[in-house]
């Protein structure tokens, strides 16, 4: 029982231990330095009881460190936590120990818990959510009295809300020697510290479940876990939990959807770290920040006059190219011997990092801006003969107003089923519906069966529309055209958005299987966006010619 300034409820908590139908071997209390007489209340109650109550002499600063101090002092076969605000039902220990004793492989036993909500937090959004979802474990589906913890880790909903599907430590009983195997609670965490521990325990033991509430957890305004909560802290906690899930002992046990979510989260972390580093380096030197050969600037980075939309200067150019390079490898499983098509290749932003990787494969880039293509042809021809660039003289009001051909009628100058990987970044965000659909059909034509494509969009869906209406989004897309929305009425191709349902319908029409989930971007100020634009990764079926 770790305590800190719990005088208001601690007497009731202690009494709930004394009233158990099974007598505990010992009650260990660790005080984190209370100033409200909490420890004195414990001593008073201990004197009235014949049970063995141990009050640790040393004060242990820190909430989680205090939890760990009780574990280190425990000598019993099982550890049952009780927080100072909570209550154990009288049969809690008896029921949980009975399940634990039924199979020595069971290292963790848990049950649902009742909620005791104080009036001070009844209007709190988190409290209201908890009241609506009292049984956290329901997200696991039907649980048995005894199951391998790996089965729970294999849930496709492991990282979906509620994250903590086991519950607070008050709702859990743990075999003591299991802590010796997996370690103690992570003292660098606060909000998700119990969830992170349950993950480690589930990977190492069977889990027992009792389908009825055996404890009551209280929610009130003064709880430590509700204080000092910020977006930065929440992000740090999620990162630490994800680091645990990526460990060798746990990652192989996870559902493929969870593995994908972890890869996406890591890419987001890497993206922002890389961009911050690149900008810092660019400020220190006018030379390109990465991959510059000795003796001069990187020849694959174009002059500032050629930087196209989406990157502003060398640092952004490099950062975005390196970002998408990781997406190609990690999310699309690009191989060094693949034949790659980049539609909308610009000045080689995506080609540059691929030169380090496509050793046995090849790259074809095509673009409607003649001077960009010419620069790439001159720059890459002698250095990388497996990299080729093509000019498509297609009309676009913004990028090629003198173009001779309509995009809706243009046939890509490549054989059918000739590419292992096709990608379009920031292309359909500048194309109107008829042109976009024709290009999508061409992607399907030139892509080999059973292979992938990656295409970016601005997708309108309820979540994005809500942020737009709230004024949060960087783009308003206030002008509606047949089949799409645009930011500018006079030059609609400058920024184009599509309803997600429309895009999904086209993918179904042309038999492209979307790899779920769609990877939404931050353009509308989503907090969990991966890149700037939304990304769809899809596969051409094996039986699609």
């Amino acid at each position: 029982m770790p305590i800190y300034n719990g005088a208001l409820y601690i007497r009731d908590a202690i009494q709930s231990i004394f009233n158990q139908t099974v007598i505990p071997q010992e009650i260990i209390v660790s005080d984190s330095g209370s100033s409200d007489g909490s420890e004195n209340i414990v001593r008073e109650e201990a004197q009235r009881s014949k049970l063995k109550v141990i009050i640790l002499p040393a004060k242990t600063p820190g909430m989680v460190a205090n939890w760990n101090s009780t574990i280190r002092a425990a000598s019993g076969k099982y550890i049952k936590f009780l927080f100072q605000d909570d209550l154990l039902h009288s049969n809690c220990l008896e029921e949980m120990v009975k399940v634990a004793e039924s199979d020595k492989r069971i290292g963790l036993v848990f049950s649902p818990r009742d909620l005791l909500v104080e009036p001070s937090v009844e209007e709190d959004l988190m409290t209201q959510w908890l009241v609506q979802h009292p049984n956290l474990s329901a997200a696991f589906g039907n649980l048995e009295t005894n199951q391998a913890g790996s089965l729970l880790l294999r849930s496709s909903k492991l990282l979906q809300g509620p994250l903590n599907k086991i519950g607070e430590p008050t709702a859990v009983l743990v075999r003591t020697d299991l802590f010796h195997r997996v370690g103690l609670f992570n003292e660098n965490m606060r909000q998700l510290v119990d969830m992170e521990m349950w993950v480690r325990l589930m990977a190492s033991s069977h889990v027992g479940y009792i389908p009825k509430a055996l404890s009551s957890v209280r929610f009130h305004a003064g709880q430590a876990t509700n204080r000092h909560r910020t977006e930065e802290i929440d992000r740090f906690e999620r990162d630490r939990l994800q680091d645990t899930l990526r460990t060798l002992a746990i990652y192989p046990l996870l559902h493929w959807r969870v593995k994908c979510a972890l890869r996406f989260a890591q890419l987001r972390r890497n993206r922002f770290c890389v961009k911050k580093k690149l900008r810092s380096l660019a400020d220190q030197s006018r030379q390109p920040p990465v991959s510059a050969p000795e003796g001069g600037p990187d020849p694959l980075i174009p002059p500032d006059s050629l930087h196209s939309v989406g990157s502003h200067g060398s640092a952004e150019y490099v950062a975005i190219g390196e970002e998408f390079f990781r997406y190609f490898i990690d999310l699309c499983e690009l191989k060094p011997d693949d034949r790659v098509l980049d539609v909308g290749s610009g000045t080689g932003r995506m080609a540059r990092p691929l030169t380090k990787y496509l050793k046995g494969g090849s790259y074809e880039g095509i673009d409607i801006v003649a001077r960009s293509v010419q620069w790439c042809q001159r720059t890459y021809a002698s250095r990388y003969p497996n990299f080729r660039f093509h000019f498509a003289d297609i009309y676009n009001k913004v990028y090629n107003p003198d173009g001779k051909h309509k995009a809706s009628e243009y046939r890509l100058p490549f054989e059918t089923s000739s590419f292992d990987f096709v990608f379009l970044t920031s292309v359909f965000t500048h194309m109107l519906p008829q042109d976009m659909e024709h290009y999508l059909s061409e992607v399907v034509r030139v892509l080999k069966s059973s292979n992938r494509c990656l295409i970016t969009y601005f997708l309108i869906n309820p979540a994005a529309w809500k942020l737009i209406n709230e004024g949060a989004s960087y783009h308003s897309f206030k002008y509606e055209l047949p089949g799409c929305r645009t930011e500018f009425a006079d030059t609609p191709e400058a920024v184009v958005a599509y309803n997600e349902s429309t895009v999904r319908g086209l993918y179904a029409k042309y038999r492209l299987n979307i790899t779920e989930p769609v990877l939404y971007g931050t353009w509308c100020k989503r907090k969990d966006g991966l890149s700037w634009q939304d990304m769809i990764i899809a596969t051409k079926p094996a039986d699609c010619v």
Side-chain angles (χ1 to χ4, degrees), residues 314-326:
S314 297
E316 283 288 299
Y317 178 92
V318 170
I320 295 172
E322 296 287 347
E323 172 192 350
F324 274 86
F325 174 65
R326 294 314 315 170

Side-chain angles (χ1 to χ4, degrees), residues 112-127:
R113 73 281 193 271
D114 292 329
L115 301 179
L116 302 174
V117 179
E118 297 297 307
S120 60
V121 294
E122 285 181 347
E123 302 302 318
D124 182 78
L125 292 177
M126 178 59 72
T127 303

Side-chain angles (χ1 to χ4, degrees), residues 162-338:
L163 265 181
N164 187 352
K165 298 172 179 58
I166 299 292
E168 302 79 6
T170 289
V172 171
L173 175 110
V174 180
R175 195 177 292 268
T176 304
D177 61 9
L178 196 55
F179 281 119
H180 300 154
R181 284 159 47 193
V182 306
L184 302 182
F185 288 97
N186 186 337
E187 295 181 12
N188 293 318
M189 300 177 69
R190 293 176 64 85
Q191 309 295 343
L192 298 177
V193 60
D194 42 2
M195 169 62 176
E196 192 270 346
M197 172 57 77
W198 308 153
V199 164
R200 285 188 274 147
L201 295 179
M202 285 188 285
S204 302
S205 71
H206 277 226
V207 174
Y209 177 70
I210 302 170
K212 59 183 177 181
L214 294 174
S215 60
S216 297
V217 175
R218 194 185 308 270
F219 292 89
H220 61 90
Q223 286 171 308
T225 52
N226 289 334
R227 296 194 296 268
H228 310 301
R229 187 164 189 167
T230 66
E231 183 177 338
E232 183 177 355
I233 291 175
D234 286 347
R235 188 184 306 114
F236 174 85
E237 299 270 324
R238 289 194 301 271
D239 289 348
R240 300 292 76 73
L241 174 60
Q242 291 164 4
D243 288 343
T244 296
L245 290 170
R246 291 188 192 94
T247 57
L248 291 176
I250 297 175
Y251 188 81
L253 305 175
L254 303 178
H255 190 275
W256 68 268
R257 290 187 182 276
V258 176
K259 292 179 180 179
C260 286
L262 291 175
R263 290 202 296 270
F264 301 155
Q266 186 62 47
L267 285 166
R268 279 194 294 267
R269 289 164 69 178
N270 292 345
R271 173 178 180 262
F272 291 116
C273 290
V274 167
K275 288 187 72 173
K276 183 177 179 181
K277 181 177 179 181
L278 291 173
R279 285 173 177 165
S280 174
L281 290 171
D283 289 341
Q284 298 170 21
S285 169
R286 301 311 300 171
Q287 302 296 338
V290 298
S291 300
E294 294 183 9
D298 189 333
L300 299 185
I301 297 180
D304 289 345
S305 60
L306 274 181
H307 282 306
S308 59
V309 66
S311 59
H312 306 281
S314 297
E316 283 288 299
Y317 178 92
V318 170
I320 295 172
E322 296 287 347
E323 172 192 350
F324 274 86
F325 174 65
R326 294 314 315 170
Y327 298 155
F328 300 157
I329 303 298
D330 295 338
L331 304 183
C332 302
E333 300 180 6
L334 179 67
K335 299 177 180 61
D337 58 352
D338 281 347

Side-chain angles (χ1 to χ4, degrees), residues 348-521:
R349 186 173 61 181
M350 303 302 169
R352 176 183 168 274
L354 288 171
T355 59
K356 302 176 294 186
Y357 186 74
L358 292 178
K359 300 305 180 182
S362 65
Y363 168 98
E364 305 284 345
I366 188 166
D367 200 88
I368 66 174
V369 180
R371 64 193 189 114
S372 296
V373 173
Q374 291 164 3
W375 183 86
C376 287
Q377 287 173 331
R378 291 194 307 268
T379 304
Y380 283 78
S382 61
R383 296 177 177 90
Y384 302 99
N386 60 333
F387 278 65
R388 291 173 290 272
F389 295 83
H390 310 265
F391 173 57
D393 195 10
I394 297 172
Y395 169 81
N396 183 283
K397 190 173 183 179
V398 177
Y399 295 104
N400 191 18
D402 298 322
K404 297 178 180 179
H405 305 288
K406 293 181 179 180
S408 59
E409 300 173 354
Y410 184 79
R411 182 180 174 90
L412 291 172
F414 307 108
E415 296 294 328
T416 298
S417 301
S418 56
F419 290 98
D420 302 292
F421 179 52
V422 180
F423 65 88
L424 296 82
T425 57
S426 199
V427 174
F428 287 174
T429 54
H430 304 289
M431 296 183 76
L432 298 178
Q434 187 177 7
D435 301 333
M436 184 270 284
E437 179 175 354
H438 176 70
Y439 260 48
L440 186 65
S441 70
E442 281 291 281
V443 168
V444 176
R445 181 182 67 80
V446 301
L447 185 64
K448 293 179 182 178
S449 299
S450 303
N451 282 272
R452 292 178 173 83
C453 61
L454 180 153
I455 306 176
T456 69
Y457 301 83
F458 291 121
L459 296 174
I460 303 294
N461 54 30
W465 198 240
K466 179 175 183 293
L467 291 168
I468 291 172
N469 288 334
E470 292 173 352
S473 173
Y474 291 99
H475 294 301
S476 63
F477 294 115
K478 59 183 176 181
Y479 298 103
E480 185 172 6
L481 300 176
C484 67
R485 302 189 73 91
T486 182
E487 190 80 1
F488 306 105
D490 54 344
T491 53
E493 295 96 331
V495 189
V496 181
Y498 289 93
N499 286 329
E500 182 176 332
S501 58
T502 300
V503 174
R504 285 182 175 274
L506 288 175
Y507 274 64
K509 177 179 178 179
Y510 291 104
R511 297 193 65 200
L512 277 175
N513 297 327
I514 294 175
T515 302
E516 301 290 357
V518 170
L519 308 175
Y520 299 114

